Amino acid sequence: MHILVIDGQGGGIGKQLVEEIRKALPEVSITAVGTNSIATSAMIKAGADNGATGENAVIVGCRSADIIAGPMGIVIADSLLGEITPAMAAAVGQSPALRILLPVNRCKNSIIGIADMDIATMIKKAVEEIKKTAQN
């Protein structure tokens, strides 16, 4: 099982995802891809097996992932304050991987019909979904 965690800005959501996935599923392979080096570094420090930065790393990583996890913005071009390029959003959206997306209502994207949860609760629910998939 290969999990790709994508995040940008400071990498806070990705860092928390990596930490919790590592605790719940220590045997899985986790690759962290940041839209910038700060995000990548935070996720590597959190326990990712591999890390890379930038547009091409997202595109390549999406080809081999079984699960892609990150904030909802990773499928929306120009989100995360412009860090997600159209090519990145397309790569995530076109990947055959299961996408576990955290509905963070920021950057002029508001997901209607989703309960308002704090990041820790969203991370917990995301990891539960990843565990279900990984154990099948």
Side-chain angles (χ1 to χ4, degrees):
M1 176 69 51
H2 182 178
I3 300 172
L4 177 65
V5 178
I6 302 172
D7 199 8
Q9 299 178 335
I13 291 173
K15 175 183 182 243
Q16 291 176 64
L17 273 168
V18 170
E19 287 173 347
E20 295 303 317
I21 294 166
R22 180 60 63 217
K23 285 182 202 171
L25 297 162
E27 71 283 358
V28 300
S29 169
I30 302 172
T31 297
V33 176
T35 59
N36 61 66
S37 60
I38 294 169
T40 304
S41 178
M43 292 186 283
I44 290 172
K45 288 177 185 174
D49 297 301
N50 303 296
T53 302
E55 181 180 78
N56 199 55
V58 170
I59 294 167
V60 172
C62 287
R63 292 180 195 151
S64 61
D66 297 306
I67 297 173
I68 299 171
M72 180 65 114
I74 65 174
V75 295
I76 302 170
D78 299 331
S79 66
L80 301 183
L81 299 175
E83 292 185 8
I84 299 296
T85 68
M88 290 170 159
V92 174
Q94 293 173 348
S95 174
L98 171 67
R99 286 168 290 283
I100 307 288
L101 304 172
L102 283 72
V104 180
N105 290 329
R106 294 187 195 148
C107 298
K108 296 188 179 183
N109 294 300
S110 183
I111 314 303
I112 305 303
I114 302 296
D116 192 21
M117 290 182 248
D118 60 24
I119 295 293
T121 302
M122 284 192 275
I123 299 288
K124 181 179 176 189
K125 290 188 174 293
V127 172
E128 287 171 6
E129 188 67 23
I130 290 168
K131 278 179 68 173
K132 280 194 312 191
T133 301
Q135 294 171 344
N136 287 334

